[in-house]
Amino acid sequence: MSFFRVLFAVIFPPLSVIDKGCGSFIIIFLLTLCGWIPGVIGALVILNNPKYS
């Protein structure tokens, strides 16, 4: 996970997972709409998951 991915995950979580697939983007977008912190946590979880690499 690069520095820019972490920075994008903190600033705008859906932007950091846009290349991981449409489903990940939608889930993180909905979590971000519910609250900024759930969106950040979800984005960091997806970025740390080796299955999506």
mmCIF file of all heavy atoms in Angstrom:
data_model
loop_
_atom_site.group_PDB
_atom_site.id
_atom_site.type_symbol
_atom_site.label_atom_id
_atom_site.label_comp_id
_atom_site.label_asym_id
_atom_site.label_seq_id
_atom_site.Cartn_x
_atom_site.Cartn_y
_atom_site.Cartn_z
ATOM 1 N N MET A 1 0.860 -1.168 0.000
ATOM 2 C CA MET A 1 0.000 0.000 0.000
ATOM 3 C C MET A 1 0.909 1.234 0.000
ATOM 4 O O MET A 1 1.735 1.403 0.875
ATOM 5 C CB MET A 1 -0.896 -0.042 1.227
ATOM 6 C CG MET A 1 -1.852 1.095 1.301
ATOM 7 S SD MET A 1 -3.196 0.921 2.483
ATOM 8 C CE MET A 1 -2.442 0.263 3.920
ATOM 9 N N SER A 2 0.718 2.070 -0.990
ATOM 10 C CA SER A 2 1.569 3.239 -1.133
ATOM 11 C C SER A 2 1.046 4.413 -0.307
ATOM 12 O O SER A 2 -0.098 4.413 0.163
ATOM 13 C CB SER A 2 1.669 3.638 -2.598
ATOM 14 O OG SER A 2 0.434 4.170 -3.031
ATOM 15 N N PHE A 3 1.895 5.395 -0.174
ATOM 16 C CA PHE A 3 1.542 6.593 0.587
ATOM 17 C C PHE A 3 0.349 7.308 -0.040
ATOM 18 O O PHE A 3 -0.529 7.801 0.665
ATOM 19 C CB PHE A 3 2.756 7.523 0.655
ATOM 20 C CG PHE A 3 2.442 8.861 1.246
ATOM 21 C CD1 PHE A 3 2.238 8.992 2.611
ATOM 22 C CD2 PHE A 3 2.324 9.978 0.444
ATOM 23 C CE1 PHE A 3 1.933 10.224 3.162
ATOM 24 C CE2 PHE A 3 2.017 11.213 0.984
ATOM 25 C CZ PHE A 3 1.828 11.327 2.353
ATOM 26 N N PHE A 4 0.314 7.364 -1.365
ATOM 27 C CA PHE A 4 -0.774 8.067 -2.044
ATOM 28 C C PHE A 4 -2.106 7.351 -1.857
ATOM 29 O O PHE A 4 -3.146 7.985 -1.764
ATOM 30 C CB PHE A 4 -0.455 8.243 -3.531
ATOM 31 C CG PHE A 4 0.683 9.170 -3.772
ATOM 32 C CD1 PHE A 4 1.886 8.691 -4.241
ATOM 33 C CD2 PHE A 4 0.562 10.521 -3.477
ATOM 34 C CE1 PHE A 4 2.949 9.540 -4.454
ATOM 35 C CE2 PHE A 4 1.619 11.390 -3.685
ATOM 36 C CZ PHE A 4 2.819 10.896 -4.170
ATOM 37 N N ARG A 5 -2.086 6.030 -1.816
ATOM 38 C CA ARG A 5 -3.324 5.289 -1.546
ATOM 39 C C ARG A 5 -3.865 5.606 -0.167
ATOM 40 O O ARG A 5 -5.066 5.783 0.016
ATOM 41 C CB ARG A 5 -3.079 3.779 -1.650
ATOM 42 C CG ARG A 5 -2.808 3.303 -3.013
ATOM 43 C CD ARG A 5 -4.104 3.167 -3.741
ATOM 44 N NE ARG A 5 -3.822 2.639 -5.056
ATOM 45 C CZ ARG A 5 -4.677 1.977 -5.758
ATOM 46 N NH1 ARG A 5 -5.885 1.764 -5.302
ATOM 47 N NH2 ARG A 5 -4.372 1.549 -6.939
ATOM 48 N N VAL A 6 -2.986 5.653 0.809
ATOM 49 C CA VAL A 6 -3.413 5.981 2.179
ATOM 50 C C VAL A 6 -3.931 7.415 2.224
ATOM 51 O O VAL A 6 -4.960 7.686 2.851
ATOM 52 C CB VAL A 6 -2.253 5.772 3.173
ATOM 53 C CG1 VAL A 6 -2.644 6.254 4.557
ATOM 54 C CG2 VAL A 6 -1.847 4.318 3.217
ATOM 55 N N LEU A 7 -3.258 8.319 1.547
ATOM 56 C CA LEU A 7 -3.696 9.704 1.509
ATOM 57 C C LEU A 7 -5.071 9.824 0.855
ATOM 58 O O LEU A 7 -5.953 10.513 1.362
ATOM 59 C CB LEU A 7 -2.668 10.558 0.758
ATOM 60 C CG LEU A 7 -2.910 12.053 0.744
ATOM 61 C CD1 LEU A 7 -2.820 12.610 2.159
ATOM 62 C CD2 LEU A 7 -1.910 12.723 -0.166
ATOM 63 N N PHE A 8 -5.278 9.125 -0.267
ATOM 64 C CA PHE A 8 -6.596 9.120 -0.911
ATOM 65 C C PHE A 8 -7.647 8.481 -0.018
ATOM 66 O O PHE A 8 -8.796 8.909 0.000
ATOM 67 C CB PHE A 8 -6.553 8.395 -2.247
ATOM 68 C CG PHE A 8 -5.864 9.153 -3.344
ATOM 69 C CD1 PHE A 8 -5.177 8.483 -4.331
ATOM 70 C CD2 PHE A 8 -5.908 10.534 -3.394
ATOM 71 C CE1 PHE A 8 -4.551 9.165 -5.347
ATOM 72 C CE2 PHE A 8 -5.276 11.235 -4.402
ATOM 73 C CZ PHE A 8 -4.591 10.549 -5.388
ATOM 74 N N ALA A 9 -7.264 7.440 0.723
ATOM 75 C CA ALA A 9 -8.216 6.774 1.615
ATOM 76 C C ALA A 9 -8.664 7.698 2.735
ATOM 77 O O ALA A 9 -9.800 7.607 3.194
ATOM 78 C CB ALA A 9 -7.603 5.501 2.193
ATOM 79 N N VAL A 10 -7.799 8.589 3.159
ATOM 80 C CA VAL A 10 -8.154 9.515 4.228
ATOM 81 C C VAL A 10 -8.949 10.702 3.680
ATOM 82 O O VAL A 10 -9.924 11.128 4.290
ATOM 83 C CB VAL A 10 -6.886 9.991 4.974
ATOM 84 C CG1 VAL A 10 -7.211 11.098 5.953
ATOM 85 C CG2 VAL A 10 -6.247 8.821 5.695
ATOM 86 N N ILE A 11 -8.555 11.222 2.527
ATOM 87 C CA ILE A 11 -9.215 12.407 1.976
ATOM 88 C C ILE A 11 -10.547 12.053 1.327
ATOM 89 O O ILE A 11 -11.574 12.655 1.621
ATOM 90 C CB ILE A 11 -8.295 13.113 0.967
ATOM 91 C CG1 ILE A 11 -7.077 13.663 1.690
ATOM 92 C CG2 ILE A 11 -9.034 14.237 0.255
ATOM 93 C CD1 ILE A 11 -6.010 14.195 0.770
ATOM 94 N N PHE A 12 -10.540 11.102 0.412
ATOM 95 C CA PHE A 12 -11.752 10.696 -0.310
ATOM 96 C C PHE A 12 -11.696 9.185 -0.528
ATOM 97 O O PHE A 12 -11.115 8.715 -1.517
ATOM 98 C CB PHE A 12 -11.860 11.440 -1.644
ATOM 99 C CG PHE A 12 -13.165 11.218 -2.346
ATOM 100 C CD1 PHE A 12 -14.342 11.667 -1.787
ATOM 101 C CD2 PHE A 12 -13.212 10.554 -3.551
ATOM 102 C CE1 PHE A 12 -15.554 11.455 -2.421
ATOM 103 C CE2 PHE A 12 -14.407 10.344 -4.197
ATOM 104 C CZ PHE A 12 -15.581 10.798 -3.635
ATOM 105 N N PRO A 13 -12.259 8.417 0.397
ATOM 106 C CA PRO A 13 -12.115 6.963 0.378
ATOM 107 C C PRO A 13 -12.508 6.269 -0.931
ATOM 108 O O PRO A 13 -11.790 5.373 -1.371
ATOM 109 C CB PRO A 13 -12.988 6.496 1.551
ATOM 110 C CG PRO A 13 -13.025 7.660 2.465
ATOM 111 C CD PRO A 13 -12.968 8.874 1.592
ATOM 112 N N PRO A 14 -13.599 6.643 -1.597
ATOM 113 C CA PRO A 14 -13.926 5.922 -2.838
ATOM 114 C C PRO A 14 -12.862 6.069 -3.930
ATOM 115 O O PRO A 14 -12.681 5.172 -4.733
ATOM 116 C CB PRO A 14 -15.245 6.550 -3.286
ATOM 117 C CG PRO A 14 -15.862 7.061 -2.049
ATOM 118 C CD PRO A 14 -14.709 7.520 -1.209
ATOM 119 N N LEU A 15 -12.146 7.177 -3.947
ATOM 120 C CA LEU A 15 -11.106 7.383 -4.946
ATOM 121 C C LEU A 15 -9.970 6.380 -4.783
ATOM 122 O O LEU A 15 -9.358 5.969 -5.763
ATOM 123 C CB LEU A 15 -10.568 8.812 -4.852
ATOM 124 C CG LEU A 15 -9.528 9.234 -5.863
ATOM 125 C CD1 LEU A 15 -10.114 9.174 -7.261
ATOM 126 C CD2 LEU A 15 -9.033 10.623 -5.559
ATOM 127 N N SER A 16 -9.705 5.957 -3.577
ATOM 128 C CA SER A 16 -8.585 5.045 -3.342
ATOM 129 C C SER A 16 -8.882 3.616 -3.783
ATOM 130 O O SER A 16 -7.964 2.853 -4.044
ATOM 131 C CB SER A 16 -8.193 5.060 -1.865
ATOM 132 O OG SER A 16 -9.236 4.541 -1.074
ATOM 133 N N VAL A 17 -10.148 3.236 -3.887
ATOM 134 C CA VAL A 17 -10.483 1.857 -4.264
ATOM 135 C C VAL A 17 -11.126 1.771 -5.643
ATOM 136 O O VAL A 17 -11.715 0.749 -5.988
ATOM 137 C CB VAL A 17 -11.406 1.199 -3.216
ATOM 138 C CG1 VAL A 17 -10.725 1.075 -1.881
ATOM 139 C CG2 VAL A 17 -12.713 1.938 -3.084
ATOM 140 N N ILE A 18 -10.994 2.796 -6.447
ATOM 141 C CA ILE A 18 -11.688 2.827 -7.732
ATOM 142 C C ILE A 18 -11.176 1.733 -8.679
ATOM 143 O O ILE A 18 -11.934 1.222 -9.502
ATOM 144 C CB ILE A 18 -11.604 4.221 -8.378
ATOM 145 C CG1 ILE A 18 -12.662 4.343 -9.451
ATOM 146 C CG2 ILE A 18 -10.237 4.497 -8.935
ATOM 147 C CD1 ILE A 18 -13.159 5.724 -9.653
ATOM 148 N N ASP A 19 -9.932 1.317 -8.561
ATOM 149 C CA ASP A 19 -9.413 0.278 -9.448
ATOM 150 C C ASP A 19 -9.619 -1.132 -8.894
ATOM 151 O O ASP A 19 -9.227 -2.099 -9.539
ATOM 152 C CB ASP A 19 -7.935 0.516 -9.736
ATOM 153 C CG ASP A 19 -7.070 0.348 -8.512
ATOM 154 O OD1 ASP A 19 -7.588 0.510 -7.404
ATOM 155 O OD2 ASP A 19 -5.878 0.071 -8.686
ATOM 156 N N LYS A 20 -10.253 -1.262 -7.750
ATOM 157 C CA LYS A 20 -10.500 -2.577 -7.140
ATOM 158 C C LYS A 20 -11.813 -3.203 -7.604
ATOM 159 O O LYS A 20 -12.123 -4.319 -7.231
ATOM 160 C CB LYS A 20 -10.513 -2.465 -5.607
ATOM 161 C CG LYS A 20 -9.259 -1.903 -5.021
ATOM 162 C CD LYS A 20 -8.078 -2.794 -5.269
ATOM 163 C CE LYS A 20 -6.855 -2.228 -4.585
ATOM 164 N NZ LYS A 20 -5.669 -2.999 -4.851
ATOM 165 N N GLY A 21 -12.586 -2.479 -8.373
ATOM 166 C CA GLY A 21 -13.839 -3.011 -8.887
ATOM 167 C C GLY A 21 -15.018 -2.140 -8.521
ATOM 168 O O GLY A 21 -14.958 -1.325 -7.599
ATOM 169 N N CYS A 22 -16.093 -2.331 -9.264
ATOM 170 C CA CYS A 22 -17.288 -1.518 -9.081
ATOM 171 C C CYS A 22 -17.940 -1.775 -7.723
ATOM 172 O O CYS A 22 -18.414 -0.854 -7.079
ATOM 173 C CB CYS A 22 -18.267 -1.801 -10.212
ATOM 174 S SG CYS A 22 -19.756 -0.818 -10.144
ATOM 175 N N GLY A 23 -17.956 -3.021 -7.291
ATOM 176 C CA GLY A 23 -18.579 -3.353 -6.019
ATOM 177 C C GLY A 23 -17.880 -2.702 -4.842
ATOM 178 O O GLY A 23 -18.528 -2.172 -3.937
ATOM 179 N N SER A 24 -16.562 -2.725 -4.859
ATOM 180 C CA SER A 24 -15.796 -2.086 -3.782
ATOM 181 C C SER A 24 -16.033 -0.587 -3.762
ATOM 182 O O SER A 24 -16.187 0.012 -2.706
ATOM 183 C CB SER A 24 -14.303 -2.354 -3.963
ATOM 184 O OG SER A 24 -14.024 -3.718 -3.859
ATOM 185 N N PHE A 25 -16.070 0.013 -4.943
ATOM 186 C CA PHE A 25 -16.296 1.455 -5.035
ATOM 187 C C PHE A 25 -17.659 1.821 -4.470
ATOM 188 O O PHE A 25 -17.785 2.774 -3.701
ATOM 189 C CB PHE A 25 -16.181 1.916 -6.489
ATOM 190 C CG PHE A 25 -16.458 3.379 -6.661
ATOM 191 C CD1 PHE A 25 -15.493 4.308 -6.343
ATOM 192 C CD2 PHE A 25 -17.680 3.824 -7.129
ATOM 193 C CE1 PHE A 25 -15.738 5.669 -6.496
ATOM 194 C CE2 PHE A 25 -17.940 5.173 -7.293
ATOM 195 C CZ PHE A 25 -16.961 6.087 -6.974
ATOM 196 N N ILE A 26 -18.690 1.055 -4.821
ATOM 197 C CA ILE A 26 -20.049 1.359 -4.356
ATOM 198 C C ILE A 26 -20.155 1.181 -2.841
ATOM 199 O O ILE A 26 -20.756 2.011 -2.159
ATOM 200 C CB ILE A 26 -21.078 0.493 -5.102
ATOM 201 C CG1 ILE A 26 -21.141 0.937 -6.567
ATOM 202 C CG2 ILE A 26 -22.448 0.586 -4.457
ATOM 203 C CD1 ILE A 26 -21.965 0.033 -7.449
ATOM 204 N N ILE A 27 -19.559 0.108 -2.322
ATOM 205 C CA ILE A 27 -19.616 -0.136 -0.873
ATOM 206 C C ILE A 27 -18.931 0.990 -0.110
ATOM 207 O O ILE A 27 -19.469 1.518 0.869
ATOM 208 C CB ILE A 27 -18.983 -1.500 -0.532
ATOM 209 C CG1 ILE A 27 -19.881 -2.615 -1.030
ATOM 210 C CG2 ILE A 27 -18.741 -1.632 0.963
ATOM 211 C CD1 ILE A 27 -19.270 -3.987 -0.953
ATOM 212 N N ILE A 28 -17.745 1.378 -0.562
ATOM 213 C CA ILE A 28 -17.022 2.444 0.124
ATOM 214 C C ILE A 28 -17.738 3.776 -0.039
ATOM 215 O O ILE A 28 -17.771 4.597 0.884
ATOM 216 C CB ILE A 28 -15.566 2.529 -0.383
ATOM 217 C CG1 ILE A 28 -14.848 1.221 -0.101
ATOM 218 C CG2 ILE A 28 -14.829 3.683 0.259
ATOM 219 C CD1 ILE A 28 -14.848 0.808 1.357
ATOM 220 N N PHE A 29 -18.346 4.011 -1.204
ATOM 221 C CA PHE A 29 -19.107 5.240 -1.406
ATOM 222 C C PHE A 29 -20.289 5.307 -0.441
ATOM 223 O O PHE A 29 -20.536 6.348 0.177
ATOM 224 C CB PHE A 29 -19.584 5.324 -2.857
ATOM 225 C CG PHE A 29 -20.276 6.609 -3.179
ATOM 226 C CD1 PHE A 29 -19.549 7.773 -3.329
ATOM 227 C CD2 PHE A 29 -21.647 6.659 -3.318
ATOM 228 C CE1 PHE A 29 -20.183 8.977 -3.620
ATOM 229 C CE2 PHE A 29 -22.295 7.841 -3.611
ATOM 230 C CZ PHE A 29 -21.559 9.009 -3.763
ATOM 231 N N LEU A 30 -21.003 4.200 -0.275
ATOM 232 C CA LEU A 30 -22.134 4.179 0.652
ATOM 233 C C LEU A 30 -21.677 4.344 2.104
ATOM 234 O O LEU A 30 -22.331 5.032 2.891
ATOM 235 C CB LEU A 30 -22.936 2.893 0.481
ATOM 236 C CG LEU A 30 -23.691 2.764 -0.838
ATOM 237 C CD1 LEU A 30 -24.329 1.383 -0.956
ATOM 238 C CD2 LEU A 30 -24.727 3.855 -0.980
ATOM 239 N N LEU A 31 -20.565 3.705 2.450
ATOM 240 C CA LEU A 31 -20.032 3.882 3.805
ATOM 241 C C LEU A 31 -19.611 5.324 4.049
ATOM 242 O O LEU A 31 -19.807 5.862 5.141
ATOM 243 C CB LEU A 31 -18.838 2.950 4.036
ATOM 244 C CG LEU A 31 -19.162 1.493 4.302
ATOM 245 C CD1 LEU A 31 -17.887 0.669 4.305
ATOM 246 C CD2 LEU A 31 -19.897 1.338 5.611
ATOM 247 N N THR A 32 -19.055 5.968 3.026
ATOM 248 C CA THR A 32 -18.654 7.356 3.166
ATOM 249 C C THR A 32 -19.868 8.263 3.311
ATOM 250 O O THR A 32 -19.830 9.252 4.045
ATOM 251 C CB THR A 32 -17.802 7.798 1.962
ATOM 252 O OG1 THR A 32 -16.698 6.896 1.840
ATOM 253 C CG2 THR A 32 -17.278 9.204 2.137
ATOM 254 N N LEU A 33 -20.960 7.930 2.629
ATOM 255 C CA LEU A 33 -22.179 8.715 2.799
ATOM 256 C C LEU A 33 -22.742 8.572 4.210
ATOM 257 O O LEU A 33 -23.322 9.521 4.747
ATOM 258 C CB LEU A 33 -23.233 8.288 1.780
ATOM 259 C CG LEU A 33 -22.997 8.724 0.341
ATOM 260 C CD1 LEU A 33 -24.118 8.172 -0.546
ATOM 261 C CD2 LEU A 33 -22.921 10.222 0.213
ATOM 262 N N CYS A 34 -22.579 7.389 4.799
ATOM 263 C CA CYS A 34 -23.043 7.178 6.175
ATOM 264 C C CYS A 34 -22.167 7.916 7.186
ATOM 265 O O CYS A 34 -22.637 8.283 8.252
ATOM 266 C CB CYS A 34 -23.052 5.693 6.501
ATOM 267 S SG CYS A 34 -24.284 4.764 5.595
ATOM 268 N N GLY A 35 -20.936 8.093 6.841
ATOM 269 C CA GLY A 35 -19.999 8.785 7.724
ATOM 270 C C GLY A 35 -18.604 8.674 7.166
ATOM 271 O O GLY A 35 -18.246 7.685 6.535
ATOM 272 N N TRP A 36 -17.807 9.677 7.417
ATOM 273 C CA TRP A 36 -16.471 9.709 6.855
ATOM 274 C C TRP A 36 -15.584 8.604 7.436
ATOM 275 O O TRP A 36 -14.847 7.938 6.704
ATOM 276 C CB TRP A 36 -15.857 11.081 7.123
ATOM 277 C CG TRP A 36 -14.458 11.220 6.642
ATOM 278 C CD1 TRP A 36 -14.044 11.286 5.339
ATOM 279 C CD2 TRP A 36 -13.288 11.285 7.438
ATOM 280 N NE1 TRP A 36 -12.688 11.405 5.294
ATOM 281 C CE2 TRP A 36 -12.193 11.409 6.588
ATOM 282 C CE3 TRP A 36 -13.066 11.263 8.808
ATOM 283 C CZ2 TRP A 36 -10.894 11.506 7.041
ATOM 284 C CZ3 TRP A 36 -11.769 11.364 9.259
ATOM 285 C CH2 TRP A 36 -10.706 11.485 8.380
ATOM 286 N N ILE A 37 -15.665 8.377 8.729
ATOM 287 C CA ILE A 37 -14.808 7.379 9.391
ATOM 288 C C ILE A 37 -15.105 5.959 8.905
ATOM 289 O O ILE A 37 -14.160 5.218 8.627
ATOM 290 C CB ILE A 37 -14.904 7.511 10.925
ATOM 291 C CG1 ILE A 37 -14.273 8.832 11.347
ATOM 292 C CG2 ILE A 37 -14.220 6.346 11.624
ATOM 293 C CD1 ILE A 37 -14.361 9.137 12.815
ATOM 294 N N PRO A 38 -16.373 5.531 8.788
ATOM 295 C CA PRO A 38 -16.598 4.193 8.233
ATOM 296 C C PRO A 38 -16.059 4.036 6.809
ATOM 297 O O PRO A 38 -15.561 2.970 6.437
ATOM 298 C CB PRO A 38 -18.117 4.033 8.253
ATOM 299 C CG PRO A 38 -18.588 4.973 9.285
ATOM 300 C CD PRO A 38 -17.620 6.125 9.262
ATOM 301 N N GLY A 39 -16.128 5.092 6.021
ATOM 302 C CA GLY A 39 -15.583 5.040 4.672
ATOM 303 C C GLY A 39 -14.077 4.866 4.669
ATOM 304 O O GLY A 39 -13.524 4.095 3.891
ATOM 305 N N VAL A 40 -13.394 5.587 5.552
ATOM 306 C CA VAL A 40 -11.939 5.478 5.645
ATOM 307 C C VAL A 40 -11.538 4.091 6.116
ATOM 308 O O VAL A 40 -10.634 3.465 5.561
ATOM 309 C CB VAL A 40 -11.370 6.567 6.588
ATOM 310 C CG1 VAL A 40 -9.906 6.317 6.889
ATOM 311 C CG2 VAL A 40 -11.569 7.936 5.990
ATOM 312 N N ILE A 41 -12.215 3.578 7.121
ATOM 313 C CA ILE A 41 -11.896 2.250 7.643
ATOM 314 C C ILE A 41 -12.138 1.190 6.575
ATOM 315 O O ILE A 41 -11.306 0.300 6.371
ATOM 316 C CB ILE A 41 -12.706 1.959 8.920
ATOM 317 C CG1 ILE A 41 -12.228 2.862 10.047
ATOM 318 C CG2 ILE A 41 -12.582 0.494 9.321
ATOM 319 C CD1 ILE A 41 -13.091 2.810 11.293
ATOM 320 N N GLY A 42 -13.256 1.273 5.874
ATOM 321 C CA GLY A 42 -13.545 0.309 4.814
ATOM 322 C C GLY A 42 -12.525 0.371 3.692
ATOM 323 O O GLY A 42 -12.098 -0.666 3.170
ATOM 324 N N ALA A 43 -12.121 1.558 3.297
ATOM 325 C CA ALA A 43 -11.119 1.698 2.236
ATOM 326 C C ALA A 43 -9.782 1.110 2.661
ATOM 327 O O ALA A 43 -9.128 0.420 1.876
ATOM 328 C CB ALA A 43 -10.968 3.163 1.864
ATOM 329 N N LEU A 44 -9.380 1.356 3.897
ATOM 330 C CA LEU A 44 -8.112 0.806 4.367
ATOM 331 C C LEU A 44 -8.166 -0.713 4.469
ATOM 332 O O LEU A 44 -7.176 -1.389 4.177
ATOM 333 C CB LEU A 44 -7.730 1.429 5.710
ATOM 334 C CG LEU A 44 -7.328 2.901 5.649
ATOM 335 C CD1 LEU A 44 -7.110 3.445 7.052
ATOM 336 C CD2 LEU A 44 -6.093 3.089 4.799
ATOM 337 N N VAL A 45 -9.305 -1.260 4.843
ATOM 338 C CA VAL A 45 -9.452 -2.722 4.900
ATOM 339 C C VAL A 45 -9.328 -3.314 3.503
ATOM 340 O O VAL A 45 -8.629 -4.310 3.293
ATOM 341 C CB VAL A 45 -10.794 -3.114 5.562
ATOM 342 C CG1 VAL A 45 -11.119 -4.572 5.332
ATOM 343 C CG2 VAL A 45 -10.762 -2.802 7.041
ATOM 344 N N ILE A 46 -9.989 -2.724 2.529
ATOM 345 C CA ILE A 46 -9.912 -3.239 1.162
ATOM 346 C C ILE A 46 -8.501 -3.080 0.605
ATOM 347 O O ILE A 46 -7.987 -3.971 -0.074
ATOM 348 C CB ILE A 46 -10.954 -2.540 0.265
ATOM 349 C CG1 ILE A 46 -12.339 -3.045 0.639
ATOM 350 C CG2 ILE A 46 -10.672 -2.790 -1.207
ATOM 351 C CD1 ILE A 46 -13.465 -2.394 -0.104
ATOM 352 N N LEU A 47 -7.844 -1.976 0.894
ATOM 353 C CA LEU A 47 -6.482 -1.778 0.392
ATOM 354 C C LEU A 47 -5.493 -2.739 1.042
ATOM 355 O O LEU A 47 -4.498 -3.104 0.422
ATOM 356 C CB LEU A 47 -6.041 -0.335 0.631
ATOM 357 C CG LEU A 47 -6.734 0.705 -0.216
ATOM 358 C CD1 LEU A 47 -6.304 2.104 0.207
ATOM 359 C CD2 LEU A 47 -6.463 0.483 -1.679
ATOM 360 N N ASN A 48 -5.732 -3.154 2.278
ATOM 361 C CA ASN A 48 -4.824 -4.090 2.954
ATOM 362 C C ASN A 48 -5.115 -5.550 2.659
ATOM 363 O O ASN A 48 -4.344 -6.418 3.048
ATOM 364 C CB ASN A 48 -4.862 -3.864 4.465
ATOM 365 C CG ASN A 48 -4.059 -2.677 4.881
ATOM 366 O OD1 ASN A 48 -3.043 -2.370 4.283
ATOM 367 N ND2 ASN A 48 -4.527 -1.998 5.902
ATOM 368 N N ASN A 49 -6.226 -5.832 2.002
ATOM 369 C CA ASN A 49 -6.609 -7.207 1.697
ATOM 370 C C ASN A 49 -5.802 -7.712 0.497
ATOM 371 O O ASN A 49 -5.941 -7.172 -0.601
ATOM 372 C CB ASN A 49 -8.115 -7.271 1.398
ATOM 373 C CG ASN A 49 -8.623 -8.679 1.356
ATOM 374 O OD1 ASN A 49 -7.866 -9.625 1.344
ATOM 375 N ND2 ASN A 49 -9.943 -8.793 1.334
ATOM 376 N N PRO A 50 -4.993 -8.755 0.664
ATOM 377 C CA PRO A 50 -4.175 -9.247 -0.466
ATOM 378 C C PRO A 50 -5.010 -9.897 -1.567
ATOM 379 O O PRO A 50 -4.531 -10.056 -2.681
ATOM 380 C CB PRO A 50 -3.234 -10.265 0.184
ATOM 381 C CG PRO A 50 -3.891 -10.650 1.456
ATOM 382 C CD PRO A 50 -4.736 -9.485 1.893
ATOM 383 N N LYS A 51 -6.249 -10.255 -1.295
ATOM 384 C CA LYS A 51 -7.111 -10.868 -2.300
ATOM 385 C C LYS A 51 -7.401 -9.903 -3.459
ATOM 386 O O LYS A 51 -7.549 -10.321 -4.605
ATOM 387 C CB LYS A 51 -8.430 -11.289 -1.657
ATOM 388 C CG LYS A 51 -9.437 -11.884 -2.605
ATOM 389 C CD LYS A 51 -10.729 -12.223 -1.887
ATOM 390 C CE LYS A 51 -11.774 -12.642 -2.876
ATOM 391 N NZ LYS A 51 -13.056 -12.840 -2.231
ATOM 392 N N TYR A 52 -7.441 -8.620 -3.177
ATOM 393 C CA TYR A 52 -7.774 -7.613 -4.189
ATOM 394 C C TYR A 52 -6.546 -7.060 -4.895
ATOM 395 O O TYR A 52 -6.659 -6.169 -5.700
ATOM 396 C CB TYR A 52 -8.558 -6.462 -3.551
ATOM 397 C CG TYR A 52 -9.928 -6.855 -3.112
ATOM 398 C CD1 TYR A 52 -10.230 -6.985 -1.768
ATOM 399 C CD2 TYR A 52 -10.926 -7.099 -4.039
ATOM 400 C CE1 TYR A 52 -11.493 -7.350 -1.354
ATOM 401 C CE2 TYR A 52 -12.192 -7.469 -3.647
ATOM 402 C CZ TYR A 52 -12.459 -7.583 -2.292
ATOM 403 O OH TYR A 52 -13.699 -7.949 -1.897
ATOM 404 N N SER A 53 -5.371 -7.550 -4.601
ATOM 405 C CA SER A 53 -4.149 -6.995 -5.203
ATOM 406 C C SER A 53 -4.002 -7.341 -6.645
ATOM 407 O O SER A 53 -4.321 -8.252 -7.219
ATOM 408 C CB SER A 53 -2.924 -7.488 -4.466
ATOM 409 O OG SER A 53 -2.938 -6.989 -3.162
#
